[in-house]
Amino acid sequence: MRPRPILALLLALVALPALARGTIERVEIRGLEDQPALLNNVRLALSVNDEIGKRQGESRLEFLLLNAEREARQALEPFGYYSPTITVDSPRDAEDRITVIVTVEPGEPVRVRESNVAIVGPGGEDQYLARDLEAFRPRQGDAFDHGTYEASRDGISRRLTERGYFDADFMEREVRVTRADFAADIDLVWDSGFRYDMGPTTFHQDFFRPGLLDKLVTWEEGSYFHQGKLDRLRQSLVKLDYFSAIDIQPLTDQATDDLRVPIDVTLALAKRTVYTAGVSYGTESGMGVRFGMERRYVNDRGHKLVTDVDYAQNRKNLLVQYRIPAFAWLDGWYTGAFSAYDEQTDYIDFRNVRLLASRSGELTDRWTATGSLIALRERWSYDMDADTGQRLYTYSTLFYPEVTGSYIGVDNRLFPRHGLSLNLATRAGSEALGSDTNFLQGWASGTWFQGVGEADRLIVRGEAGATWTSDLVAMPPSLRFFAGGDRSIRGYAWREVGPRTPPPDNFAIGGRYVVTGSVEYEHYFNAGPWGMAGFVDAGDAFDSPSEFDLRVGVGVGARWRSPIGGVRIDIAHGLDDPDSSFQIYLSLGANL
């Protein structure tokens, strides 16, 4: 063994002036204030930080100070600074309390002089790998940052595996640093080997009938291997909500002579039945309870049954859904549903029953669409019989198709800071097809998210809807437009804004059109999970453009960026004579 490092350390210790024992009070690092990454790395590297507040003997103190210079030097090397000037001082006060001051002059960084980064073999002709090579950092002339270099190197190695080059390995992997020239030469070459293909896919589960899940396999056996294909399969299996664990593995060690890799899918069934229960309270609906039951899989064909009962003082809702997986063409569901709704509030008096048959599907990874046929029977009342004092009810029967679509293009679905979400709907009814009136209706809403600074957000939301009908009186309340509430104009109650019957009833009857908008700014304290918001909402529901009456609400709110999504508490005031001076709202989720 060579004793040179130990000898050098002993000589350095001898060269240091003798230090009396003392207590390390604090550690200061100077010279890196404008380079926070370097400053943080040096701070983490200094072992003297662990000794703050402890009384040190002479030898131990000398060792710590000498070590600080070496640790700071090593902490700078990953950023390309190999020749810094570092001094360590240790002034003390009258009570032998020591301040360790590490002064750093990083000096000239090592820069990339020569760069040979390449892939040989079939992978060298892969256009996607060629893009990765083009994006490799650091380039010639850049400071040689170890973290950037390793991220680029590992990214290409990972991409080779993702694209089926399982035999890829390094032919050359070397970085030569010449300190005297402040230069680094990169020599990094992969041999890709051959690209493997998708082999047979085997599902390991013991409940669903054979072949059912095979329909989720979107690739053909013998096509090029790509990890994205497996990720798509995983997403499809997750959305089915049948399984508590999903393990998808390419069995590269079992690849055939023609380079086909078997795909092994191991699945563990989730709990079959999920029950939910809760209590609720709303200023219009009153106290309520809610019960739900979901049968994740009714039979070995993968059918689902969902039942939900929401029973409040002034609102009652029953929903029963039966869903059949639709694997062919687009991932989605065939759904048959029955719902019954009853609402008796200060704003409205109506009941309805609805039958629905629909087909949903994923058009792309951002677009989802649903086509439905709906039969609706609704009863509502706005008037009293002057002689009997009884309610006068109007009835409407409608049979109509409906198409809805949603687009989610955001960076983070739990807490989006950049991107756009859209929701669209159109429906139409005809007297020739069994409806009491001819109508066409369209509706759209969108939310735009823009991150500001490290954690703040600007959120802009808009909504617009229109109805064209030969008989507005026959349009039931559930198909008219209202405004007000936490997803519309805060500061007004749900359905408060829009056309109403004359006093004393003053019932909300809904309008042909709706236009609303909102601008909100969220600020998070110290970029943490807690924050506050200020917002302005405006809009109206109306029957003709000449009747548009802009209503404005303003407010503030508290925000919590929880692990399962945003939690928002808002208090808002309407500026145009609302029913209540203030409205309080609690909402959960991303509001996409």
Side-chain angles (χ1 to χ4, degrees):
M1 293 180 59
R2 293 184 178 182
R4 290 183 180 178
I6 299 176
L7 179 60
L9 180 60
L10 291 174
L11 291 174
L13 287 171
V14 170
L16 283 173
L19 296 173
R21 64 176 59 240
T23 302
I24 298 175
E25 182 74 12
R26 65 180 184 274
V27 178
E28 296 181 5
I29 303 170
R30 300 177 181 176
L32 299 175
E33 290 80 6
D34 59 342
Q35 296 174 282
L38 276 66
L39 177 63
N40 188 56
N41 211 46
V42 170
R43 181 180 291 112
L44 293 174
L46 295 178
S47 58
V48 69
N49 284 309
D50 299 330
E51 307 300 324
I52 293 176
K54 300 177 183 179
R55 191 163 180 80
Q56 308 293 332
E58 297 177 9
S59 299
R60 175 63 176 169
L61 189 57
E62 290 174 350
F63 175 80
L64 288 171
L65 297 179
L66 178 65
N67 224 26
E69 190 274 338
R70 179 182 59 83
E71 290 167 341
R73 186 177 300 276
Q74 291 176 345
L76 296 173
E77 290 182 358
F79 299 92
Y81 294 94
Y82 283 82
S83 303
T85 301
I86 301 173
T87 60
V88 180
D89 298 312
S90 56
R92 65 177 69 204
D93 60 17
E95 297 180 4
D96 284 336
R97 290 179 300 193
I98 300 170
T99 299
V100 177
I101 302 174
V102 181
T103 303
V104 180
E105 294 180 15
E108 181 72 18
V110 165
R111 297 188 178 275
V112 177
R113 180 172 55 189
E114 299 290 340
S115 180
N116 176 34
V117 182
I119 298 174
V120 299
E125 300 177 1
D126 189 311
Q127 61 175 324
Y128 296 97
L129 291 170
R131 294 176 188 174
D132 291 340
L133 292 175
E134 179 65 24
F136 189 93
R137 298 292 185 277
R139 291 180 172 181
Q140 280 184 296
D142 293 346
F144 182 74
D145 185 302
H146 287 236
T148 302
Y149 165 79
E150 291 170 2
S152 295
R153 180 197 66 199
D154 295 346
I156 292 177
S157 293
R158 185 167 53 251
R159 183 63 67 91
L160 282 161
T161 301
E162 290 174 353
R163 297 188 62 76
Y165 299 95
F166 293 115
D167 296 331
D169 202 357
F170 291 104
M171 295 179 63
E172 302 288 344
R173 183 174 58 175
E174 183 179 20
V175 177
R176 297 178 297 277
V177 175
T178 307
R179 296 177 186 241
D181 297 335
F182 297 98
D185 299 316
I186 300 174
D187 198 4
L188 193 59
V189 181
W190 290 266
D191 179 357
S192 71
F194 291 105
R195 187 176 188 182
Y196 285 70
D197 297 329
M198 306 295 291
T201 303
T202 304
F203 291 90
H204 299 280
Q205 55 85 27
D206 55 7
F207 180 81
F208 298 104
R209 59 176 50 193
L212 177 70
L213 301 178
D214 293 344
K215 300 173 183 177
L216 295 174
V217 177
T218 57
W219 62 84
E220 293 186 5
E221 187 175 334
S223 62
Y224 278 132
F225 180 92
H226 194 290
Q227 182 64 37
K229 297 177 181 179
L230 304 187
D231 294 340
R232 167 75 184 274
L233 174 60
R234 182 185 307 278
Q235 291 173 5
S236 297
L237 291 169
V238 167
K239 290 175 182 176
L240 290 175
D241 198 29
Y242 297 154
F243 309 106
S244 61
I246 301 170
D247 184 34
I248 303 176
Q249 296 292 336
L251 305 179
T252 55
D253 58 337
Q254 298 180 24
T256 60
D257 292 339
D258 56 354
L259 302 180
R260 294 192 177 187
V261 178
I263 308 300
D264 199 63
V265 184
T266 303
L267 304 167
L269 277 175
K271 184 179 179 181
R272 188 170 193 172
T273 306
V274 178
Y275 298 95
T276 58
V279 296
S280 64
Y281 175 76
T283 54
E284 290 87 37
S285 61
M287 289 295 300
V289 294
R290 183 173 182 175
F291 300 96
M293 186 275 290
E294 179 182 357
R295 194 79 161 170
R296 282 181 168 138
Y297 38 93
V298 174
N299 51 37
D300 63 359
R301 295 180 177 87
H303 297 186
K304 285 179 178 287
L305 175 64
V306 178
T307 303
D308 190 81
V309 178
D310 193 352
Y311 192 95
Q313 289 174 293
N314 301 321
R315 288 193 189 120
K316 300 159 184 67
N317 186 43
L318 168 67
L319 173 65
V320 179
Q321 284 186 346
Y322 194 84
R323 301 168 66 190
I324 300 172
F327 297 139
W329 181 44
L330 296 171
D331 281 1
W333 299 89
Y334 295 104
T335 301
F338 168 81
S339 66
Y341 186 83
D342 177 32
E343 180 174 346
Q344 313 291 323
T345 68
D346 293 339
Y347 296 113
I348 204 163
D349 173 358
F350 80 96
R351 295 176 179 175
N352 66 36
V353 293
R354 189 188 308 256
L355 292 174
L356 174 147
S358 71
R359 166 67 158 99
S360 63
E362 294 182 4
L363 304 179
T364 68
D365 58 346
R366 296 186 175 186
W367 277 104
T368 301
T370 303
S372 307
L373 287 175
I374 299 172
L376 173 69
R377 174 68 170 174
E378 189 153 317
R379 184 199 81 174
W380 68 96
S381 172
Y382 299 130
D383 301 308
M384 302 282 288
D385 187 303
D387 295 330
T388 65
Q390 299 296 316
R391 280 279 171 201
L392 297 177
Y393 288 100
T394 303
Y395 295 84
S396 181
T397 301
L398 299 176
F399 181 75
Y400 58 93
E402 178 182 80
V403 177
T404 62
S406 66
Y407 170 85
I408 301 177
V410 296
D411 57 342
N412 185 323
R413 295 199 176 200
L414 283 180
F415 186 78
R417 297 193 71 238
H418 299 279
L420 176 70
S421 69
L422 296 171
N423 292 285
L424 310 170
T426 182
R427 55 186 70 93
S430 171
E431 293 178 359
L433 298 178
S435 292
D436 287 349
T437 183
N438 300 313
F439 73 94
L440 173 65
Q441 191 174 75
W443 174 84
S445 72
T447 305
W448 177 64
F449 301 89
Q450 177 59 51
V452 180
E454 190 173 354
D456 293 1
R457 296 194 300 178
L458 175 67
I459 304 173
V460 180
R461 174 175 49 81
E463 172 195 24
T467 305
W468 297 269
T469 178
S470 59
D471 185 7
L472 182 63
V473 175
M475 289 295 291
S478 64
L479 292 182
R480 299 190 189 187
F481 294 116
F482 299 83
D486 66 321
R487 297 300 302 272
S488 181
I489 309 173
R490 285 165 288 188
Y492 301 85
W494 188 45
R495 288 179 171 162
E496 181 181 344
V497 177
R500 295 204 186 192
T501 61
D505 288 338
N506 207 30
F507 276 121
I509 61 176
R512 287 177 180 263
Y513 309 102
V514 66
V515 176
T516 66
S518 172
V519 177
E520 178 174 325
Y521 189 87
E522 293 181 348
H523 171 68
Y524 287 84
F525 306 112
N526 299 318
W530 293 96
M532 63 178 295
F535 54 85
V536 177
D537 299 347
D540 190 24
F542 51 100
D543 282 332
S544 69
S546 63
E547 297 175 1
F548 180 79
D549 183 15
L550 184 68
R551 304 296 182 93
V552 179
V554 298
V556 295
R559 299 291 183 265
W560 176 39
R561 195 168 61 232
S562 79
I564 58 173
V567 178
R568 297 172 296 282
I569 301 176
D570 292 325
I571 181 169
H573 173 62
L575 303 183
D576 303 276
D577 194 25
D579 289 352
S580 174
S581 297
F582 292 93
Q583 292 282 332
I584 298 176
Y585 309 94
L586 171 64
S587 53
L588 310 174
N591 271 350
L592 293 174

